[in-house]
Amino acid sequence: MSYPIPEIFAPKGCIIDTHAHYESEQYDGLRDQIFASFDDLGVSAVINCGCNIESSKKNIELAKKYDCCYAAVGFHPEDITDKSLNFGALENLLKCEKVLAVGEIGLDYYWNKENREKQIEAFIFQIELAKKYDLPIIVHDRDAHCDTLEILKKYKPKGVVHCFSGSLEMAREIVKLGMYIGVGGVVTFKNARKLVEVVEDIPMEKILLETDGPYLAPEPFRGKLNNSFLISLVAQKISEIKKIPINEIYRITKENAISLFKF
Ligand code: NI
């Protein structure tokens, strides 16, 4: 197994990857090497997002082992099944060191249409939990834009809608709520017209960079193992769309990440 490294990479300390899953077994045997190169390839930190108790715990372990790693903990909508969700265990994990957010949480009507009620219930419960600890949330929204927006409007959490796939109108609503838009490899794909329009329109101060690794590697590495170095390709694309120098993209998105997640 190997991972791609782009020809262009960021100057030292410029990139915060606000959404990844380095606990995933696809990185087995590669983590030491990847994290050791972070410094040279411009990455200063990564937030690994949990999908259930097990992956959340693994990400907390990574945060203990590696300086560059931080964690978010939560129940992903795909992991919300009929077995009971242990919110008590989740709350305990929230208190661990280097846990910066509740995530990823949200709604996914693409994979599972039958348990909408249960997904909504778990989403709201986790938003309330985040508010109790004054933490931001990391939102997953797939084919559930209406319900997601309605809940965010009602509960007004702070946070980010990661890997944003909604309309320009929705993006504007999210920004109006004070939340951020997570942008990753998808913006470089040929069919990314809608996301390009969103990036063009919303203020730079509301954009966060992310990988969602191991998935969604940007072009020309689409389909390969994603990693935080490839964020330079996402930043380059945003720089082209917004006609802002790439170093400004790095500077502003890093400030955005720090101001939301309080590293
Ligand atoms: Ni994710």
Side-chain angles (χ1 to χ4, degrees), residues 86-98:
N86 192 342
F87 288 117
L90 184 68
E91 186 162 1
N92 281 334
L93 295 182
L94 270 183
K95 298 168 192 163
C96 294
E97 234 182 296
K98 294 177 88 180

Side-chain angles (χ1 to χ4, degrees), residues 19-21 49 51 76 104 138 140 162 210 212-213 215:
H19 191 118
H21 301 275
C49 300
C51 295
H76 188 290
E104 55 182 293
I138 297 172
H140 171 102
H162 115 84
E210 61 170 59
D212 205 16
Y215 319 106

Side-chain angles (χ1 to χ4, degrees), residues 11-239:
K12 223 176 169 69
C14 280
I15 291 173
I16 293 180
D17 182 353
T18 60
H19 191 118
H21 301 275
Y22 278 107
E23 88 292 351
S24 157
E25 60 188 17
Q26 295 187 53
Y27 293 110
D28 284 356
L30 298 172
R31 287 184 203 93
D32 283 338
Q33 203 185 338
I34 291 178
F35 296 144
S37 317
F38 262 22
D39 212 30
D40 285 337
L41 296 175
V43 184
S44 64
V46 56
I47 301 175
N48 289 307
C49 300
C51 295
N52 50 45
I53 295 296
E54 198 194 346
S55 60
S56 296
K57 275 185 179 164
K58 280 186 187 163
N59 288 331
I60 291 171
E61 287 308 310
L62 288 181
K64 279 185 193 154
K65 189 170 173 194
Y66 300 98
D67 280 351
C68 60
C69 287
Y70 294 81
V73 302
F75 290 108
H76 188 290
E78 265 182 70
D79 281 63
I80 289 164
T81 55
D82 283 335
K83 64 178 190 270
S84 68
L85 298 173
N86 192 342
F87 288 117
L90 184 68
E91 186 162 1
N92 281 334
L93 295 182
L94 270 183
K95 298 168 192 163
C96 294
E97 234 182 296
K98 294 177 88 180
V99 171
L100 303 184
V102 177
E104 55 182 293
I105 63 174
L107 304 174
D108 193 319
Y109 297 165
Y110 179 83
W111 290 108
N112 198 336
K113 291 181 175 65
E114 282 76 49
N115 67 346
R116 289 185 181 194
E117 291 301 312
K118 210 165 169 126
Q119 286 192 37
I120 289 172
E121 207 178 291
F123 185 28
I124 293 172
F125 190 90
Q126 292 179 95
I127 291 176
E128 301 280 27
L129 200 56
K131 289 174 108 174
K132 180 174 168 190
Y133 289 89
D134 194 27
L135 289 171
I137 60 168
I138 297 172
V139 179
H140 171 102
D141 158 27
R142 187 158 186 202
D143 288 357
H145 305 318
C146 282
D147 287 356
T148 300
L149 187 59
E150 197 180 300
I151 290 168
L152 296 178
K153 274 182 169 171
K154 184 165 176 201
Y155 292 89
K156 298 189 171 54
K158 50 185 178 178
V160 55
V161 179
H162 115 84
C163 195
F164 186 79
S165 60
S167 65
L168 177 55
E169 290 68 34
M170 182 182 179
R172 286 176 175 161
E173 295 281 339
I174 298 291
V175 166
K176 228 190 275 173
L177 290 170
M179 294 182 76
Y180 293 81
I181 303 284
V183 179
V186 173
V187 77
T188 68
F189 295 174
K190 279 193 184 72
N191 54 355
R193 194 184 45 81
K194 211 166 58 164
L195 182 58
V196 167
E197 196 181 76
V198 167
V199 168
E200 206 168 18
D201 184 84
I202 61 169
M204 203 51 234
E205 284 66 29
K206 287 294 169 193
I207 294 178
L208 291 177
L209 300 179
E210 61 170 59
T211 54
D212 205 16
Y215 319 106
L216 299 174
E219 291 290 1
F221 301 111
R222 190 169 179 178
K224 301 247 166 62
L225 184 67
N226 203 355
N227 65 73
S228 308
F229 312 132
L230 301 183
I231 281 185
S232 57
L233 298 167
V234 175
Q236 188 185 39
K237 180 73 187 183
I238 296 175
S239 159

